[in-house]
Amino acid sequence: MASLENNVQELVRLSQWDAILLESLRGHGWSDDELLQRIRQGDLPEDTSKFGLNYRNLVDTAAAEPETVEAAVRQGYRIKFNTLRGLSNWILLSQGHEPQVDTEPGRESITATLTTEQHSRLMSAISYGWTVTAAGTAEGGTVYRIEPLNRL
């Protein structure tokens, strides 16, 4: 089991919503410079995905905290607080595949197959309060079970 407290790298912190917006925009394949320029100028496409995202919040965050957004794009970020569904959506947008979500009370978790690189990215971005445990292997990577530390 990997505990997030062992990851000592200090990264800027983004809201889960801004992280989802940023990952959606990364899907366009823009360089970091182009992505930042587009965010600053508000020159962003209409989202036609199932999410129907409105990028205004990210543009506002970049106007209020330009250094934070630039560091998030260039060096990475840690999400301030994850919810089960929000983390599942972040995995879909950042890793390119939809994970399984178990919402049964007392068993809430996400199961995702990740490469080593994807696992490292998840571990650096996920908020504190989650555990990520290898649960087996599958074609294309390792199967991980991602669950909150304390269930209510």
Side-chain angles (χ1 to χ4, degrees):
M1 173 170 49
S3 175
L4 300 178
E5 286 71 21
N6 293 333
N7 185 349
V8 295
Q9 182 180 9
E10 285 298 318
L11 298 171
V12 295
R13 305 215 19 174
L14 286 183
S15 71
Q16 179 175 267
W17 186 243
D18 281 342
I20 287 171
L21 295 173
L22 183 58
E23 295 307 324
S24 171
L25 291 171
R26 281 192 186 280
H28 291 278
W30 299 321
S31 69
D32 288 351
D33 289 335
E34 183 176 2
L35 177 57
L36 287 166
Q37 180 182 0
R38 285 176 169 271
I39 292 170
R40 287 182 195 121
Q41 295 174 350
D43 180 21
L44 301 170
E46 181 178 337
D47 181 47
T48 58
S49 74
K50 70 178 186 176
F51 299 108
L53 301 172
N54 179 337
Y55 298 109
R56 183 82 239 157
N57 192 69
L58 185 59
V59 171
D60 292 345
T61 300
E65 303 174 48
E67 299 84 11
T68 298
V69 173
E70 182 165 355
V73 168
R74 295 191 188 282
Q75 290 129 23
Y77 56 85
R78 179 171 300 280
I79 299 170
K80 293 177 185 177
F81 179 82
N82 285 117
T83 63
L84 190 70
R85 290 283 184 200
L87 183 55
S88 172
N89 290 334
W90 183 89
I91 291 169
L92 170 62
L93 291 168
S94 68
Q95 312 300 347
H97 59 87
E98 194 155 5
Q100 285 184 283
V101 179
D102 186 345
T103 59
E104 183 180 330
R107 297 179 43 100
E108 299 89 350
S109 65
I110 299 168
T111 303
T113 301
L114 305 172
T115 65
T116 300
E117 181 180 306
Q118 290 171 329
H119 175 260
S120 293
R121 180 131 192 267
L122 171 69
M123 294 304 291
S124 70
I126 194 171
S127 67
Y128 294 106
W130 292 81
T131 60
V132 179
T133 308
T137 58
E139 186 175 328
T142 303
V143 177
Y144 291 96
R145 183 175 170 89
I146 306 157
E147 55 194 336
L149 283 173
N150 298 314
R151 294 188 185 105
L152 300 176

